[in-house]
Amino acid sequence: MSEEATVPKSSFSWPCSRLEEVAYELGDEFIAYCLDLPRLPQDESSLSPNKRQVLEEVSNLVTSMRLTPLPIRALSVSEWLTTPNAEGLTPPQVWRIQSDGVLPVVTSSEDGLLTELAKVGLQVFPYKALAEPYVGEGSGSFSRVAVPMSKRSELARLIVRDRSLGQLFGDTPPDVEISESDLFNRGTTLYFNNGNGFGVQAIMLPESILNNAFASLLLTNVEEAADFGKFEEHLSRVLEESRALARREVVKVVRVVGFHGVQLEESLAVGEFRIRPTRPTDTLAFNQISTGGYASAVLEARRPLQILAADADLFEPPEGESDPFAKTRPHQEEVERSNAGWTDKVENVRLACALSSPDYESMIAPVVLFEAELNPLSHSQSLAYRLVPVSFHPQVKLDRVRAGKATEWLGVVGANISPSIRIAGRRLLTALTERSDPTDAFVDALVAWESLFGTGTEVSFRVSAALAALLEPVDMDARRAVYKELKRLYGLRSRLVHGSADLAPSEAETHRRRACEVALQATQRVLKTATLAPMKAEERSDRLLFGI
């Protein structure tokens, strides 16, 4: 799959060849795998008779796909492509052998659980890692990996007896047999430091580990996604992360944030984070989420994750109580601290991108569209997303130079941000990215002014005068002009919030733009002034106005 977005069906040229048709429906890489080719040829006439026979079978599948109603099409196709025959081979594997190809082999390992998981991964690899989803057809992405029933019990027994993972399901002496019904009943409920809580069953955990391994593979890069050996590496890491979590250790798991408002041509580092363009494989990594629509970039990081509580009846109130959260409430403070820390980190990146801007036209203001986390014990990725983005600011290109400046600003923000600057930065980002009404955005930008220099009395005078002194420290005539302008805007804001004024859309947009420019410049200067950054808003105002 290429880095570019898939070609929309509306722009596809018909009629087309049979090879083009099946590749369009299932993806070039998937068809190339089935035909045992490094890449697809332009014309099927160059294919061998065996490969043409395989192509005909795949074409018949595509024809039947189109006869299946959209809501169940992805599920039907995925079930058919991942169900092994009596020899343990799935249709894509059979087709590859029929095309005179050789199947990848599972790397031998002393870790029995890893080996057995890899065998299942090998069966579904062509479909899960290579086939393209039905983007834009209303059916969502391809369904998740389903471990064959014949393998579930075997893998569940290995998990229950695993020295680490077994801790989730109670101790099982080596000489005690585990019945089939016992395997289905082995489960617990976990509560994590990110506030998520969910049930885990031994019989379903293999699917969770495999799905997270595939998601991890698909998030790396499109070249690795076609390499089964790379999948084995990701599977080994995800399995070890699962074991570490089961031992109650802190594990840094992959977390991604979808951005709108920033465009890139390559993956770039911004501090400890990495921002890259979206890829078709992102949609495959996170089921039911299409990042090819509004999101233009993805921020990747690792977030510390830890199990705080585990109990089969975790959300059942203790005897004599009615509170279903009684067992998790003691951990609430830790959860809030963990979530606030992560939110601040993402906000710092967004603010650093905005602060790296030399002027309003080039300002980068990323909007958060979705967040997803790869918890290897979860049967589905933890997802939070917005259906519709709101952004006044256009998509702005982030190149290496800007990424370097954003990294510098990220360091400044991390070192110097204070509670009042945090509020100002948050309001500035809200004004730029979240307000659908320019008048509301204008008011938010002025709240950012107040957060930097607000006081209990004479607010309009002190905020406007402090801003003027900060922005025009030398030229008194320029300072006086800025003060008058800002005081006028502040007075307009007061009339708007008290209902005694209204603005035409074009006028509101002009005021919003100017208010955001002032908030940006003021935040930049306060953060880079060592004496001002740690102060409270009123102290900052006093220092600028009176030198005290």
Side-chain angles (χ1 to χ4, degrees):
M1 300 177 190
S2 64
E3 291 282 345
E4 292 75 22
T6 52
V7 179
K9 289 191 181 336
S10 59
S11 65
F12 193 67
S13 176
W14 298 97
C16 62
S17 72
R18 183 171 58 176
L19 184 62
E20 290 174 326
E21 181 181 10
V22 297
Y24 181 66
E25 290 289 347
L26 294 172
D28 290 6
E29 282 74 17
F30 178 80
I31 303 302
Y33 175 92
C34 295
L35 297 177
D36 188 37
L37 295 170
R39 64 184 59 84
L40 292 183
Q42 294 294 321
D43 190 335
E44 66 182 77
S45 62
S46 62
L47 299 178
S48 68
N50 287 349
K51 287 180 171 56
R52 290 186 195 178
Q53 178 61 37
V54 167
L55 181 61
E56 182 175 349
E57 293 182 20
V58 178
S59 179
N60 291 336
L61 169 66
V62 168
T63 299
S64 64
M65 281 168 46
R66 292 179 178 153
L67 299 176
T68 306
L70 282 177
I72 61 172
R73 181 180 296 178
L75 180 62
S76 300
V77 174
S78 66
E79 183 178 358
W80 198 83
L81 289 178
T82 59
T83 301
N85 59 18
E87 288 76 36
L89 299 174
T90 58
Q93 291 177 305
V94 172
W95 289 332
R96 187 176 177 90
I97 293 172
Q98 290 176 349
S99 296
D100 304 317
V102 178
L103 298 180
V105 295
V106 172
T107 304
S108 60
S109 169
E110 295 181 0
D111 187 334
L113 177 57
L114 176 61
T115 299
E116 294 306 315
L117 286 170
K119 288 179 181 178
V120 176
L122 179 61
Q123 291 178 327
V124 300
F125 174 77
Y127 153 80
K128 182 66 180 177
L130 303 179
E132 292 186 7
Y134 306 124
V135 177
E137 287 198 353
S139 60
S141 61
F142 282 146
S143 65
R144 302 168 52 76
V145 172
V147 175
M149 290 302 298
S150 58
K151 293 288 293 184
R152 286 195 182 193
S153 298
E154 177 187 349
L155 289 170
R157 284 189 173 88
L158 290 173
I159 282 174
V160 169
R161 296 194 183 282
D162 188 86
R163 184 175 300 177
S164 297
L165 293 173
Q167 296 179 29
L168 298 173
F169 309 104
D171 294 330
T172 304
D175 56 342
V176 173
E177 273 296 317
I178 308 173
S179 67
E180 197 78 11
S181 60
D182 188 21
L183 284 175
F184 277 87
N185 292 328
R186 292 289 183 104
T188 188
T189 300
L190 306 178
Y191 186 64
F192 293 84
N193 63 332
N194 61 4
N196 287 341
F198 52 81
V200 175
Q201 292 179 289
I203 203 74
M204 299 299 294
L205 191 53
E207 292 186 6
S208 302
I209 294 172
L210 283 166
N211 275 293
N212 278 280
F214 274 113
S216 176
L217 171 74
L218 292 165
L219 285 175
T220 51
N221 60 64
V222 290
E223 288 77 21
E224 285 193 12
D227 185 343
F228 181 73
K230 292 295 183 181
F231 166 74
E232 289 185 298
E233 294 177 10
H234 286 265
L235 176 62
S236 177
R237 179 180 55 75
V238 169
L239 179 57
E240 288 311 307
E241 288 178 354
S242 303
R243 287 167 167 160
L245 284 171
R247 296 191 297 267
R248 305 294 184 91
E249 297 174 9
V250 177
V251 176
K252 290 188 174 182
V253 298
V254 173
R255 189 164 180 102
V256 300
V257 181
F259 279 160
H260 171 76
V262 55
Q263 289 182 328
L264 305 91
E265 295 180 353
E266 59 180 331
S267 178
L268 298 170
V270 176
E272 64 179 289
F273 302 91
R274 181 157 290 278
I275 306 178
R276 61 166 175 79
T278 54
R279 308 178 184 125
T281 48
D282 292 332
T283 306
L284 292 171
F286 300 110
N287 293 324
Q288 309 307 320
I289 296 295
S290 172
T291 63
Y294 289 120
S296 56
V298 168
L299 177 144
E300 294 182 357
R302 285 189 172 269
R303 177 178 175 177
L305 189 68
Q306 184 179 27
I307 295 175
L308 300 181
D311 189 328
D313 300 317
L314 189 62
F315 294 106
E316 289 292 327
E319 188 174 350
E321 293 192 35
S322 59
D323 182 7
F325 302 104
K327 296 177 182 177
T328 61
R329 204 167 296 285
H331 305 289
Q332 192 61 34
E333 185 176 334
E334 185 172 353
V335 169
E336 291 175 357
R337 184 171 59 250
S338 174
N339 286 339
W342 169 257
T343 300
D344 286 349
K345 278 191 169 186
V346 175
E347 195 172 81
N348 286 356
V349 173
R350 297 173 63 211
L351 183 58
C353 287
L355 294 171
S356 70
S357 311
D359 50 49
Y360 182 85
E361 281 71 18
S362 63
M363 190 185 302
I364 297 175
V367 185
V368 175
L369 297 188
F370 70 87
E371 292 195 38
E373 188 168 87
L374 298 186
N375 182 337
L377 298 179
S378 174
H379 194 59
S380 61
Q381 286 84 36
S382 172
L383 288 164
Y385 60 97
R386 301 179 184 182
L387 293 177
V388 180
V390 176
S391 178
F392 286 99
H393 221 69
Q395 301 269 34
V396 179
K397 183 177 179 180
L398 178 67
D399 56 21
R400 293 187 181 186
V401 174
R402 289 293 297 275
K405 292 180 179 178
T407 298
E408 292 176 8
W409 272 109
L410 187 59
V412 173
V413 170
N416 297 339
I417 199 164
S418 62
S420 63
I421 301 175
R422 168 74 63 197
I423 295 171
R426 186 171 296 155
R427 287 293 189 164
L428 171 60
L429 290 172
T430 300
L432 288 168
T433 65
E434 296 185 19
R435 295 302 189 193
S436 58
D437 187 326
T439 299
D440 291 338
F442 167 67
V443 171
D444 261 324
L446 267 74
V447 173
W449 296 7
E450 273 191 20
S451 300
L452 293 174
F453 301 107
T455 63
T457 59
E458 299 180 313
V459 180
S460 176
F461 162 73
R462 290 174 64 103
V463 170
S464 302
L467 279 167
L470 179 71
L471 300 180
E472 295 292 348
V474 178
D475 189 332
M476 296 305 294
D477 290 336
R479 182 188 300 187
R480 188 177 299 107
V482 169
Y483 165 72
K484 289 180 178 179
E485 177 196 14
L486 301 187
K487 195 170 187 300
R488 179 178 57 81
L489 290 175
Y490 205 98
L492 175 60
R493 177 257 192 191
S494 298
R495 295 195 301 276
L496 287 169
V497 298
H498 290 101
S500 60
D502 197 8
L503 293 175
S506 60
E507 187 181 8
E509 172 60 23
T510 299
H511 293 326
R512 180 199 66 82
R513 174 183 175 129
R514 177 56 177 156
C516 287
E517 286 177 334
V518 171
L520 174 68
Q521 294 169 9
T523 305
Q524 289 171 328
R525 297 194 183 190
V526 168
L527 276 169
K528 284 204 168 182
T529 305
T531 55
L532 296 178
M535 290 180 171
K536 295 180 180 179
E538 187 168 358
E539 295 172 340
R540 206 174 283 131
S541 176
D542 288 343
R543 176 61 61 88
L544 286 167
L545 294 178
F546 312 117
I548 58 174

